[in-house]
Amino acid sequence: MNNREHDPQDLMVVAGGGGFIGGHLVAALRAQGYQRIRAIDIKPVSEWYQVFDDVANCVSDLCELPACRDAVDGATAVFNLAADMGGMGFIENNKALCMLSVLINTHLLMAARDAKVTRFFYASSACVYNAEKQISEQVTPLKEEDAYPAMPEDGYGWEKLFSERMCRHFREDFGLATRVARFHNVYGPHGTWDGGREKAPAAICRKVIQAKESGGLAIEIWGNGEQTRSFTYIDDCIEGIFKITYGDCVEPLNLGSNELVSINGLVSIVEAIAGIELERSYKLDAPKGVNGRNSDNTFIRSQYDWEPTTTLRDGMQRTYDWIYQQFMQRASQPA
Ligand code: NAD
């Protein structure tokens, strides 16, 4: 089944539609011709990253079951991108808040089952993987089976792993067609770039721009900079969401780039984009997550003959340009 076979009149529901990935998903659904889209978020619409007048933009708290029932009423497909989350600085210091997102997915699943929704997508995370497999910067890319035996990221990762299982059992016991992707560090324009919830790519772009504009020419890096990651550009993430949602594979799949980079390497990429070199200092007691992590894409390639392809250099250029614009816009506003 391919999403292009769907009727443009099908009602598409995006939970977390005011967020980074949810906003891009709404934009992509519009671009595919869907005429009935409902986006829901707890934030006031003025704080959404992308707002479209032809979309039903609703503000409600999806931790509540009645709100979830209203949200999915009449829906053909539900995409759950809603969660209380952020970068390492947020998730390491707000474990209980992260775990409370379990209410969102649980209540959305119950409502979707009762509303006879035909597809339910859940956004899981690479944070479900066993921490013991991520001790070294010299990583062995993570395969889907490496989530078990379970020892995920405390708080946030446990919630994701539990919610994945909830999706599995709603499929097995109630016949709800659930699909799950494990995102690996998604980045791009129209996302959080300051305020404490931002992730490494956006934080580094902002710090480099700040250094360049202030003439300070110094940057503080969290950890020793040798920790390794892969980063997935938002367009690849959105394409993967559609493949997984409408595909036949019912198991959770990695949705991530496998271009491995150290945080120092990422800083060098952004310096090259900005055309400057900065003096680096290292904040060794800052939250930095696991030492190394990469995505093994064997499974998604075998299922969909596809994997993310945007290079980090290209994706970071587009992200930098957007953050630069935001930064300058803010700087030009009266204090
Ligand atoms: P985001 O914070 O930009 O978006 C999440 C949205 O959910 C926010 O707009 C927030 O206001 C909303 N939300 C929170 N609580 C809510 C509630 N009770 N009711 C309604 N809305 C609520 O984050 P994102 O980067 O767009 O992430 C989307 C999903 O993908 C999340 O589930 C996240 O855990 C997952 N994920 C993201 C990444 C990444 O790198 N961005 C990596 C792994 C997993």
Side-chain angles (χ1 to χ4, degrees):
M1 185 154 89
N2 183 298
N3 60 313
R4 283 178 186 77
E5 291 163 16
H6 280 217
D7 185 336
Q9 289 304 318
D10 284 347
L11 176 61
M12 299 282 129
V13 169
V14 180
F20 165 48
I21 302 173
H24 282 277
L25 185 61
V26 169
L29 287 165
R30 287 177 75 250
Q32 288 180 4
Y34 285 104
Q35 290 163 18
R36 298 175 61 227
I37 303 169
R38 186 183 292 148
I40 303 123
D41 206 288
I42 196 170
K43 294 186 296 201
V45 176
S46 60
E47 291 174 24
W48 294 21
Y49 292 117
Q50 301 191 62
V51 182
F52 303 96
D53 291 342
D54 55 357
V55 166
N57 300 309
C58 314
V59 174
S60 77
D61 180 357
L62 294 173
C63 284
E64 306 291 335
L65 181 58
C68 289
R69 292 204 188 284
D70 288 346
V72 308
D73 186 31
T76 306
V78 174
F79 299 86
N80 178 13
L81 284 303
D84 205 353
M85 60 93 64
M88 283 319 299
F90 180 80
I91 67 177
E92 284 198 3
N93 292 306
N94 295 278
K95 298 191 177 87
L97 276 186
C98 289
M99 293 205 81
L100 280 172
S101 295
V102 75
L103 295 173
I104 301 175
N105 197 58
T106 305
H107 288 149
L108 274 176
L109 279 171
M110 291 166 68
R113 172 198 59 190
D114 297 347
K116 307 216 174 337
V117 162
T118 62
R119 286 287 149 128
F120 184 99
F121 173 85
Y122 175 61
S124 184
S125 163
C127 288
V128 300
Y129 285 113
N130 190 314
E132 281 166 18
K133 304 218 168 187
Q134 305 172 72
I135 288 166
S136 166
E137 293 88 7
Q138 316 301 322
V139 299
T140 305
L142 293 160
K143 287 185 191 308
E144 282 74 359
E145 62 258 34
D146 292 328
Y148 297 97
M151 188 44 72
E153 170 82 34
D154 201 5
Y156 178 74
W158 277 106
E159 189 279 320
K160 289 291 184 197
L161 197 62
F162 177 86
S163 288
E164 280 190 3
R165 303 247 12 132
M166 193 84 134
C167 288
R168 166 182 297 276
H169 297 304
F170 267 65
R171 178 174 52 76
E172 290 174 350
D173 294 359
F174 303 132
L176 177 64
T178 56
R179 299 290 185 269
V180 175
R182 292 177 181 156
F183 296 164
H184 288 247
N185 297 312
V186 187
Y187 72 100
H190 300 286
T192 311
W193 59 277
D194 71 348
R197 287 184 185 239
E198 65 279 15
K199 299 189 162 197
I204 291 170
C205 286
R206 188 202 67 234
K207 287 179 184 183
V208 169
I209 293 166
Q210 260 165 352
K212 187 175 173 171
E213 293 305 312
S214 69
L217 298 187
I219 185 165
E220 183 186 79
I221 295 170
W222 284 11
N224 62 10
E226 283 163 24
Q227 62 274 34
T228 51
R229 291 288 186 281
S230 70
F231 295 95
T232 311
Y233 189 62
I234 183 67
D235 292 1
D236 288 330
C237 176
I238 297 297
E239 199 178 340
I241 290 175
F242 286 123
K243 286 188 189 294
I244 291 170
T245 302
Y246 293 108
D248 293 330
C249 179
V250 298
E251 299 298 330
L253 292 124
N254 280 335
L255 177 43
S257 160
N258 59 7
E259 182 183 345
L260 192 70
V261 68
S262 68
I263 295 300
N264 278 326
L266 187 61
V267 173
S268 299
I269 289 175
V270 182
E271 283 178 338
I273 291 170
I276 52 170
E277 249 180 70
L278 303 174
E279 178 134 349
R280 301 178 186 191
S281 65
Y282 295 93
K283 187 167 165 43
L284 298 177
D285 59 352
K288 69 173 186 66
V290 293
N291 287 332
R293 174 186 292 158
N294 196 2
S295 176
D296 183 313
N297 288 342
T298 311
F299 189 44
I300 193 165
R301 272 199 307 269
S302 76
Q303 293 296 311
Y304 297 121
D305 195 22
W306 177 89
E307 67 186 307
T309 49
T310 308
T311 63
L312 193 53
R313 179 66 174 76
D314 284 356
M316 286 304 288
Q317 176 78 58
R318 290 178 236 169
T319 308
Y320 180 92
D321 290 345
W322 181 80
I323 294 176
Y324 185 78
Q325 225 178 27
Q326 304 302 304
F327 186 94
M328 296 312 278
Q329 223 168 45
R330 188 177 291 175
S332 69
Q333 280 162 5

